[in-house]
Amino acid sequence: MSNDPRRRRSNKRAPFPAPSDEESRQFLEAMERLGAVPDKDHGAGSPTSTTTGTRRRKQAAATARVDAEIDLHGFGVREALDELDRRLPAARVQGARRVRVITGRGLRSDEGQAVVRGAVLGWLKTDGRRFVASVEPDAASRGGAFLVRLR
């Protein structure tokens, strides 16, 4: 190598060769295992065409830390509260610490009001306090469930 200042090295690099079909297939399989696969609603070139790793991690974390699930879809207010009063203590006896209580978002309720959701939240914060240490919305459900930490 010469120390001559007039002689400069080129910063241009040789272009990478295009991946073979096999390399492309292996790459897509690896991305699928990681959970970053193209979304069917968007084209492959769309900026929203993959689910972000952060969102996947949050969803996985929310799912992993739930010990039991109580689904109240299709219940009326009275039936939903009776079901909670019966199943929350049973979950606690079975060793559950976190329970996902699914109410739904009320999209098919009469008059479009989420009646069961509000009644369940009120019950968890009043009568249910003997079982419940804390209640928070379940972010993964987009408003249709609560995460309940039991005492």
Side-chain angles (χ1 to χ4, degrees):
M1 189 177 227
S2 168
N3 288 335
D4 186 359
R6 293 175 289 172
R7 186 174 170 157
R8 295 183 181 173
R9 282 200 320 183
S10 172
N11 287 336
K12 293 183 181 179
R13 295 181 180 178
F16 288 106
S20 68
D21 288 340
E22 177 64 19
E23 290 170 325
S24 294
R25 186 187 60 74
Q26 289 174 348
F27 173 78
L28 289 174
E29 285 175 359
M31 293 300 287
E32 197 169 276
R33 282 193 302 271
L34 292 172
V37 293
D39 191 345
K40 291 178 178 68
D41 295 337
H42 303 285
S46 169
T48 58
S49 65
T50 58
T51 302
T52 64
T54 303
R55 183 172 175 195
R56 288 250 184 215
R57 280 191 298 277
K58 285 181 180 178
Q59 289 172 344
T63 302
R65 62 181 183 227
V66 172
D67 301 316
E69 196 171 82
I70 301 172
D71 190 347
L72 302 174
H73 278 108
F75 284 81
V77 171
R78 186 73 256 151
E79 296 88 13
L81 299 182
D82 288 344
E83 186 76 0
L84 278 177
D85 198 28
R86 184 177 65 78
R87 292 192 51 199
L88 277 181
R92 188 173 66 172
V93 167
Q94 293 173 352
R97 298 291 296 146
R98 289 179 66 90
V99 178
R100 177 178 291 121
V101 177
I102 303 169
T103 60
R105 292 182 280 170
L107 300 178
R108 292 178 192 86
S109 296
D110 294 338
E111 301 173 25
Q113 297 293 322
V115 179
V116 172
R117 178 176 170 73
V120 165
L121 183 58
W123 185 89
L124 289 169
K125 292 185 174 187
T126 56
D127 296 345
R129 291 304 292 173
R130 62 186 187 268
F131 312 118
V132 176
S134 68
V135 179
E136 61 188 63
D138 182 10
S141 73
R142 298 185 323 237
F146 299 104
L147 293 176
V148 177
R149 191 169 54 85
L150 300 178
R151 293 188 187 276

